[in-house]
């Protein structure tokens, strides 16, 4: 039986913050090692990330995936398009989805993605957008596999360099 069935999805708590921060840092260092400059990746701090995530404890738009009592993934989503104000057709946005690098491909991301979509449906949302670095081919393929279509492009600054992001759109 796959890990997806053993995964608990729930809202972020204060006890999850350090685990979430560590997953983000480890994911960036692994996923972006050939894309983003080492200097930027080396500058990432678990403590800084944990402080940012602590501000989101208790919100209903930040979920974590728990396996055997441990945080193994997280997903943040927004009930508007405030991160994409120039995209007038999207009324909600997936802002982040991360799975512990050693557990990718086991259904954890899929389960969190489906939970975010369910919450969007419950809020009567119709069109979701998410942004992904175009060079992050594995993630772009995952998002397309989940039913999304690339409809937008933009440049985003990370450190002192600009990177192309693709906007992937879904019917909720």
């Amino acid at each position: 039986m796959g890990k997806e069935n053993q995964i608990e999805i729930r809202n972020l708590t204060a006890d999850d913050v350090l685990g979430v921060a560590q997953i983000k840092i480890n994911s960036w260092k692994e996923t972006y090692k050939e894309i983003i400059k080492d200097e930027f990746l080396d500058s990432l701090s678990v403590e800084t990330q944990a402080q940012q995530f602590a501000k989101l404890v208790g919100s209903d738009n930040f979920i974590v995936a728990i396996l055997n009592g441990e945080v193994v993934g997280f997903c943040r989503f927004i009930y508007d398009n405030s991160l994409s104000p120039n995209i007038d057709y999207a009324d909600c946005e997936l802002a982040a989805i991360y799975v512990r690098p050693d557990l990718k491909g086991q259904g954890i991301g899929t389960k969190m993605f489906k939970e975010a979509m369910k919450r969007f449906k419950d809020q009567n949302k119709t069109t979701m957008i998410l942004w992904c670095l175009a060079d992050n081919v594995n993630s772009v393929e995952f998002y397309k596999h989940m039913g999304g279509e690339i409809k937008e492009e933009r440049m985003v600054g990370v450190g002192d360099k600009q990177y192309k992001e693709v906007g992937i759109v879904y019917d909720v």
Side-chain angles (χ1 to χ4, degrees), residues 16-33 36-53 62 71-74 96-102 104:
D16 302 327
V17 168
L18 275 177
V20 165
Q22 193 65 59
I23 288 170
K24 181 175 181 185
I25 299 290
N26 291 345
S27 293
W28 270 68
K29 287 184 176 184
E30 180 167 312
T31 302
Y32 298 125
K33 66 184 168 206
I36 293 176
K37 288 183 173 184
D38 289 342
E39 296 82 17
F40 180 83
L41 295 175
D42 292 342
S43 75
L44 296 174
S45 154
V46 172
E47 295 76 20
T48 301
Q49 291 297 314
Q51 289 171 357
Q52 292 175 359
F53 290 129
F62 197 117
V71 177
V72 294
F74 69 92
I97 187 166
Y98 289 86
V99 174
R100 206 173 77 191
D102 63 312
K104 284 185 176 180

Side-chain angles (χ1 to χ4, degrees), residues 51-105:
Q51 289 171 357
Q52 292 175 359
F53 290 129
K55 297 173 188 170
L56 301 168
V57 169
S59 68
D60 73 338
N61 62 341
F62 197 117
I63 56 176
V64 292
I66 305 295
L67 176 64
N68 300 325
E70 182 182 351
V71 177
V72 294
F74 69 92
C75 178
R76 181 174 177 226
F77 44 96
I78 302 170
Y79 294 109
D80 61 28
N81 69 335
S82 58
L83 298 178
S84 302
N86 298 329
I87 309 296
D88 60 0
Y89 57 84
D91 59 3
C92 55
E93 189 161 348
L94 188 72
I97 187 166
Y98 289 86
V99 174
R100 206 173 77 191
D102 63 312
L103 294 174
K104 284 185 176 180

Side-chain angles (χ1 to χ4, degrees), residues 3-16:
K3 285 199 173 23
E4 181 179 355
N5 296 324
Q6 304 166 25
I7 297 296
E8 173 193 356
I9 304 293
R10 62 168 169 72
N11 289 345
L12 176 73
T13 69
D15 291 339
D16 302 327

